[in-house]
Amino acid sequence: MSKIIVVTSGKGGVGKTTSTAALGAALALEGHKVAVVDFDVGLRNLDLIMGAERRVVFDLINVAQGDAKLNQALIRDKRLPNLSLLPASQTRDKDALTEEGVERVIDELRSRFDWVICDSPAGIERGATLAMRFADAAVVVANPEVSSVRDSDRIIGLLDAKTCHAEKGGRMEKHLLLTRYDPGRVARGEMLSVEDVLEILSIPLLGIVPDNEEVLRASNLGSPIVLHNAASAPARAYTEAAQRLCGANVPMSVPSDQRSLFRKLFGRRAA
Amino acid sequence: MTQAPCRSIRFRGRSFEALALEPEAPLSAWIDRLDVYLANFPAFFSCKPIVIDVSNLELDRPGAAELVKNLTGRGIRIMGLAGADPAWSSEDFPPILPRGRATATANRTNVDSATDAGGAANGLNANEQAAFLEIAEALATEGRLTPVAASESPMRASLAAPLVVNAPVRSGQTIQYLEGDVTIVGSVASGADVIAGGSIHIYGALRGRAFAGAEGAAQARIFCRRLEAELLAVGGVYLTADEIGTSVRGQAVQAWLEQDSIRIARLD
């Protein structure tokens, strides 16, 4: 039984693309057949994070409009053979996507993969609503700060109103992924705590990804964080989140590593 | 007694009640009938806020200008035009009011008594009769406009079935229920609006905006388990987040209208 997941947030820059790549790679490492789909038409990024930017020939728009076959557009990951990428077009805009076209692509992906993870563009316009339209479940990415949390709340409202699932009267499955979490800054009151965010959004927590410089390093190298440095704190957070997505009961924690703890102590003393 | 020169002035969005006069075509005949009534009741329009509703007239701007001139010449002070094309607005024209709502069924329930007070409503069609009865009622209460509407509309609201929302109200969503009370079992997020004709009950945190008594019911109240609101409004009187005292922030409270300002008190 395959599952379509949309990774969405409302606000830009909170870590949707990073999370899509990491969750996709983590699920693939668990042995599932996974496709990650970039819906950010016109501003494609997922190909860069996945390190596949030199191999893009056809894209989502080509497949949705019937100009290319899904097979021609899918890019198989060089590190993980059961992980594929469907890139977005950089030259077109989001108006080139039609609901019928997207539905056809999603149906075909559903028949071929265990997990289809759709990377939504920021905002609440056409691109974002089409990315969530045919999803079975949503991963709502938020940073522990007020503007991100409010935008996520808005997106949760849309998930409950604008998706096929919701329109058929079903209840959309939603998970919160809290990224860029810094326990030190939370303790100093500079960031919202996990409890604050959960109280506002009232959806179940999928994972807490600590703020960590390894994430940027992995992005720059074009490697999902779980493949780049599996022992790093964010990689462990994403791996556990993927296991929870599969239904495993993994106790919730904020993974940390020795160095960031050391840096935190040092930083506190200097401040 | 000097005040700092940089002190700002205060603006507040408020709803007031006005009498809406609805002229009917043909205008010349309607004005003739108006003159008859003005002769009988010269004080009908004095010192009253009057809005002219031209939506049934299909006037152009010069026609509307002439109507305004005609009515002004008869001692009717026009505070605004309803049902007019917004493009007409200019300095020498009354302000154009975008939306209007009838205040009440209450006026209609009082038709009989108002007929006595207003006197002979003979020779008028139903619309004109209603308009004059409205004025007569206002006159009878000496300046206190729509006293019956104020005391009766909350009663009516409570008769309507309350709206119960069993989910959190998310940012960007609006719950509007002008028929009566709204109960929300869950929180109201920042960026969400709840608009009720009656009272608003929130079993959760209120972080968005709440408008109780949206059609002027001054007895409406707002109750919430935790006050983090961006804005509270009761009966058209507003209070922004900045004006909400720190002693009630984050507390279970109720808010109500007292002498034209919103009072907030903790519930526990």
Side-chain angles (χ1 to χ4, degrees):
Chain A
M1 181 70 189
S2 61
K3 201 160 188 179
I4 316 291
I5 305 275
V6 59
V7 178
T8 185
S9 70
K11 194 175 189 296
V14 296
K16 282 182 296 300
T17 304
T18 304
S19 298
T20 303
L23 287 175
L27 287 167
L29 281 170
E30 302 264 316
H32 303 281
K33 279 190 77 180
V34 182
V36 290
V37 185
D38 193 349
F39 268 85
D40 204 347
V41 178
L43 292 166
R44 75 170 196 223
N45 282 150
L46 189 56
D47 55 326
L48 289 169
I49 308 291
M50 300 285 292
E53 73 277 10
R54 290 158 182 269
R55 296 161 63 203
V56 175
V57 183
F58 296 106
D59 55 51
L60 173 65
I61 300 273
N62 297 136
V63 184
Q65 293 185 339
D67 300 333
K69 291 211 171 67
L70 184 59
N71 257 342
Q72 295 174 289
L74 280 173
I75 302 169
R76 186 170 287 204
D77 194 89
K78 282 184 170 164
R79 296 147 295 204
L80 284 167
N82 52 340
L83 175 62
S84 296
L85 163 72
L86 181 57
S89 166
Q90 182 74 356
T91 52
R92 308 291 293 272
D93 63 45
K94 285 161 183 91
D95 294 334
L97 280 178
T98 62
E99 189 171 325
E100 299 73 38
V102 171
E103 185 172 20
R104 203 153 27 80
V105 177
I106 295 284
D107 280 347
E108 199 173 343
L109 287 166
R110 195 192 286 274
S111 66
R112 296 224 238 149
F113 292 92
D114 302 323
W115 296 88
V116 178
I117 305 181
C118 305
D119 181 23
S120 169
I124 52 172
E125 288 82 22
R126 190 179 177 77
T129 48
L130 276 176
M132 68 170 69
R133 184 88 185 124
F134 303 100
D136 302 316
V139 171
V140 178
V141 182
N143 292 165
E145 48 104 9
V146 284
S147 61
S148 169
V149 170
R150 182 160 80 179
D151 290 359
S152 294
D153 196 67
R154 179 88 217 258
I155 279 290
I156 293 168
L158 293 179
L159 287 166
D160 284 332
K162 294 279 172 75
T163 52
C164 280
H165 226 73
E167 283 178 7
K168 283 182 202 144
R171 190 144 188 89
M172 185 84 176
E173 180 187 330
K174 296 173 288 280
H175 304 274
L176 175 66
L177 188 63
L178 203 55
T179 57
R180 300 238 167 103
Y181 191 82
D182 185 333
R185 297 188 66 187
V186 172
R188 290 195 296 274
E190 295 169 11
M191 268 186 179
L192 294 177
S193 69
V194 179
E195 293 73 30
D196 290 340
V197 179
L198 284 175
E199 212 265 311
I200 295 172
L201 296 180
S202 55
I203 59 171
L205 186 62
L206 182 68
I208 305 162
V209 182
D211 195 19
N212 190 298
E213 58 198 25
E214 278 295 289
V215 175
L216 182 62
R217 202 169 292 144
S219 294
N220 287 336
L221 291 170
S223 174
I225 180 73
V226 292
L227 298 179
H228 170 71
N229 181 355
S232 68
R236 273 157 37 219
Y238 279 118
T239 303
E240 288 177 10
Q243 287 162 353
R244 289 185 196 106
L245 210 51
C246 295
N249 189 7
V250 185
M252 191 62 68
S253 65
V254 187
S256 63
D257 50 40
Q258 208 66 42
R259 200 178 48 194
S260 77
L261 186 68
F262 185 77
R263 205 163 44 101
K264 206 171 72 192
L265 292 172
F266 179 75
R268 199 177 283 170
R269 207 171 295 150
Chain B
M1 283 306 199
T2 54
Q3 284 195 337
C6 60
R7 197 185 148 136
S8 67
I9 53 170
R10 279 166 65 102
F11 287 93
R12 267 204 297 194
R14 291 276 304 272
S15 312
F16 294 94
E17 297 195 342
L19 301 175
L21 197 53
E22 298 176 9
E24 290 224 323
L27 267 180
S28 56
W30 184 83
I31 285 175
D32 286 345
R33 293 204 297 277
L34 177 71
D35 282 338
V36 172
Y37 271 86
L38 283 176
N40 288 339
F41 304 99
F44 255 10
F45 298 106
S46 65
C47 306
K48 296 287 183 296
I50 309 285
V51 171
I52 308 297
D53 187 345
V54 297
S55 47
N56 296 327
L57 287 178
E58 293 181 12
L59 287 177
D60 54 0
R61 195 182 186 286
E66 200 188 323
L67 175 64
V68 168
K69 211 178 93 197
N70 259 326
L71 294 175
T72 312
R74 285 168 169 79
I76 299 173
R77 295 199 294 184
I78 303 172
M79 62 173 290
L81 283 185
D85 185 342
W88 294 351
S89 63
S90 71
E91 290 292 326
D92 55 350
F93 219 56
I96 293 180
L97 307 174
R99 290 185 302 267
R101 271 197 301 259
T103 45
T105 49
N107 283 332
R108 238 159 276 143
T109 62
N110 273 349
V111 159
D112 292 338
S113 60
T115 313
D116 296 338
N122 52 346
L124 293 180
N125 66 31
N127 278 344
E128 286 162 336
Q129 203 163 337
F132 276 104
L133 291 177
E134 216 168 31
I135 296 161
E137 188 195 336
L139 260 186
T141 56
E142 271 311 306
R144 275 179 60 235
L145 289 181
T146 62
V148 187
S151 61
E152 257 193 30
S153 52
M155 288 277 289
R156 289 178 173 275
S158 67
L159 293 175
L163 176 73
V164 180
V165 180
N166 268 317
V169 183
R170 302 286 182 183
S171 183
Q173 292 178 335
T174 300
I175 303 288
Q176 180 169 322
Y177 186 66
L178 297 176
E179 288 76 20
D181 289 6
V182 173
T183 304
I184 290 157
V185 187
S187 293
V188 176
S190 160
D193 290 352
V194 179
I195 304 165
S199 295
I200 296 174
H201 309 259
I202 297 165
Y203 293 92
L206 168 57
R207 299 191 176 87
R209 306 193 292 176
F211 303 79
E215 289 196 295
Q219 278 85 344
R221 293 191 178 203
I222 298 169
F223 305 84
C224 64
R225 286 262 290 266
R226 199 161 124 207
L227 180 69
E228 305 275 355
E230 291 166 340
L231 186 137
L232 293 175
V234 180
V237 181
Y238 295 71
L239 205 58
T240 61
D242 277 354
E243 298 166 313
I244 296 172
T246 49
S247 62
V248 289
R249 278 221 156 251
Q251 307 296 323
V253 300
Q254 61 165 325
W256 71 98
L257 200 57
E258 198 172 294
Q259 286 163 356
D260 262 0
S261 61
I262 292 184
R263 296 271 318 268
I264 304 172
R266 289 166 63 162
L267 286 171
D268 46 29

